Amino acid sequence: MNSKNDQIFCNVREMKIKTAKPILNETVIREWFYHQRERTSIYYKKEILNLPPYWTDDEILRNYKFVNTKRVWDRETKWLLKNVINNNLLSYENKILNCFLFRVINKSDTLNEINAPLDFSKITINDINEKIREKINIISREKPDYVFFSAAYILGGPKFNFGKFLEKIENMTEKNMIIRMIKFVFYNQDKIINGVQSSANQLEVFKHLKSFSGIGDFLAYQIFVDLTYITKFPFTEMNFVISGPGCERGINWIFADRDGMNSEECLFWFTINQNNIAEKYSEEWDVNDIFHFLPKEQRVYTLMDMENSGACEIDKRCRTKFSNKRPKQKYHYQSNNSILI
């Protein structure tokens, strides 16, 4: 796959990864390969073949929510791809800003209601205070139980810190959390764009995104990955990764001994060695078979896949299977086969 202008092995020790001889947890490795195959099969049956449930006999995958093997298949990311990334009416700069806004809300239903994506080159603060606020107020009146943000991850940092930022700008407290997010991007649009465009490598983009108060490692990395979907953005998801808390726990399940590698290096090592690992443990792992419904060039298991589905989700699976600690979100079925969010 095209690595664009990536710094190869960005923010990790290349020689350490290439010479490391870690010890893996065999029981977990077998769960890992099974989970990736089965979760991909579920996606194929549900989304490609449009078959009715149930799409698996696996009790864990059948009863609890797990992200797709590939991030681009998830519901919210699909919205981003359709409405922002592949939107020919949006400028490159507006795509950057809308990626930022998207990830700090992370709920397409809400973004649709406010007519996102937004054109930050034309929108005014009065538009935000009046037109967009009224749209949000209508939702609150008509759907008093509506939840404006996704429950996929905690957004306390942006909500609090963006509020503090706005108090300094406007000398008042902005109580509406969605308006907080929009105003923060509005007031910081030049800073966001200039920092992204002036970054020499993936790590610099990540550090720039993280420099905004309230944006931690997890969100900065998620926004970075969103940006990689933009054709004009000079970097990819293939050579840079940040391990979040769930990912860290997954790595600890997979590796009995890391041989001195840090978390990001473990993710690189596993991704590079996935075929060798499969062969060692006699596990089926032919990406042309597993991802047979994708174009040939997309039949790869990437570093981002490893961070997202490979590590974070194996933590959820292993906690459920071996520690009797079930995931937070149960999988609810509807007659139209869609998930209750």
Side-chain angles (χ1 to χ4, degrees):
M1 294 182 74
N2 182 7
S3 293
K4 294 186 178 180
N5 297 327
D6 281 358
Q7 178 182 321
I8 309 301
F9 291 98
C10 184
N11 198 39
V12 292
R13 297 169 294 172
E14 180 178 355
M15 287 308 299
K16 182 60 183 177
I17 294 166
K18 289 182 175 179
T19 59
K21 298 185 184 301
I23 299 172
L24 304 180
N25 183 330
E26 180 175 350
T27 303
V28 173
I29 291 301
R30 298 197 182 284
E31 289 292 326
W32 188 94
F33 281 106
Y34 169 77
H35 182 93
Q36 306 310 313
R37 293 191 303 262
E38 192 66 11
R39 186 63 185 89
T40 304
S41 174
I42 290 172
Y43 175 83
Y44 175 65
K45 293 173 184 175
K46 179 178 183 289
E47 301 294 340
I48 306 300
L49 299 181
N50 292 313
L51 297 176
Y54 302 100
W55 306 287
T56 179
D57 292 329
D58 182 83
E59 289 297 320
I60 295 174
L61 285 168
R62 190 165 169 171
N63 291 318
Y64 301 106
K65 278 190 180 182
F66 287 84
V67 300
N68 283 296
T69 318
K70 292 192 171 293
R71 185 177 186 263
V72 293
W73 296 344
D74 289 334
R75 180 183 183 223
E76 301 306 331
T77 304
K78 282 183 176 179
W79 184 93
L80 178 74
L81 291 168
K82 178 182 178 181
N83 293 278
V84 176
I85 305 302
N86 298 320
N87 186 341
N88 294 328
L89 299 178
L90 282 185
S91 67
Y92 176 48
E93 292 76 14
N94 262 313
K95 288 182 180 183
I96 292 172
L97 297 173
N98 278 280
C99 281
F100 194 109
L101 178 64
F102 165 79
R103 199 49 72 178
V104 296
I105 295 176
N106 198 38
K107 190 167 184 178
S108 56
D109 291 341
T110 298
L111 292 161
N112 283 330
E113 291 289 349
I114 63 173
N115 290 337
L118 305 178
D119 186 346
F120 284 96
S121 66
K122 295 180 180 178
I123 199 171
T124 67
I125 195 65
N126 285 337
D127 291 331
I128 298 171
N129 277 326
E130 297 173 9
K131 296 178 182 177
I132 298 179
R133 191 185 300 275
E134 179 56 24
K135 291 174 183 175
I136 296 170
N137 289 339
I138 290 172
I139 300 170
S140 297
R141 288 195 299 269
E142 295 180 352
K143 306 174 185 177
D145 296 327
Y146 181 75
V147 179
F148 283 88
F149 292 87
S150 166
Y153 48 80
I154 298 171
L155 286 165
K159 289 177 181 178
F160 178 80
N161 288 282
F162 289 10
K164 289 295 182 183
F165 170 85
L166 291 175
E167 284 180 12
K168 294 178 182 178
I169 298 291
E170 298 185 335
N171 295 314
M172 59 181 291
T173 300
E174 176 55 70
K175 295 182 179 180
N176 187 292
M177 293 299 171
I178 296 296
I179 295 295
R180 278 190 190 185
M181 303 302 176
I182 299 170
K183 283 185 175 180
F184 185 86
V185 176
F186 174 83
Y187 286 123
N188 285 285
Q189 57 185 291
D190 290 339
K191 184 178 179 182
I192 293 170
I193 292 168
N194 292 337
V196 169
Q197 293 185 326
S198 64
S199 294
N201 57 41
Q202 305 96 298
L203 181 61
E204 286 190 12
V205 177
F206 169 78
K207 286 184 174 180
H208 168 63
L209 295 170
K210 192 182 171 186
S211 71
F212 294 96
S213 182
I215 302 294
D217 285 2
F218 175 81
L219 269 179
Y221 178 57
Q222 296 302 315
I223 298 169
F224 167 82
V225 175
D226 290 336
L227 295 176
T228 67
Y229 302 144
I230 305 173
T231 302
K232 192 174 178 179
F233 186 69
F235 310 115
T236 78
E237 65 180 50
M238 305 290 285
N239 294 288
F240 176 72
V241 70
I242 295 294
S243 174
C247 183
E248 182 74 20
R249 292 191 298 268
I251 293 168
N252 289 336
W253 280 104
I254 293 167
F255 289 83
D257 185 330
R258 299 183 180 197
D259 193 24
M261 291 187 292
N262 64 30
S263 297
E264 285 74 21
E265 289 163 350
C266 286
L267 295 171
F268 266 90
W269 184 91
F270 197 101
T271 305
I272 292 168
N273 290 283
Q274 58 186 276
N275 292 324
N276 294 331
I277 299 167
E279 184 177 355
K280 178 179 178 179
Y281 293 100
S282 300
E283 288 287 339
E284 294 179 17
W285 191 248
D286 183 339
V287 292
N288 284 313
D289 288 340
I290 295 167
F291 301 117
H292 63 92
F293 51 92
L294 295 179
K296 192 175 179 74
E297 66 274 11
Q298 296 178 22
R299 296 175 193 172
V300 291
Y301 192 86
T302 69
L303 185 61
M304 177 62 218
D305 298 336
M306 180 61 199
E307 189 279 336
N308 190 44
S309 175
C312 291
E313 300 304 278
I314 204 62
D315 168 57
K316 287 163 59 177
R317 181 173 187 86
C318 288
R319 281 189 288 126
T320 306
K321 187 162 186 175
F322 303 125
S323 299
N324 198 28
K325 296 179 180 178
R326 72 173 184 84
K328 293 179 181 178
Q329 293 183 303
K330 292 206 72 172
Y331 199 115
H332 299 283
Y333 297 89
Q334 288 182 314
S335 58
N336 65 354
N337 300 345
S338 62
I339 308 170
L340 290 173
I341 301 299

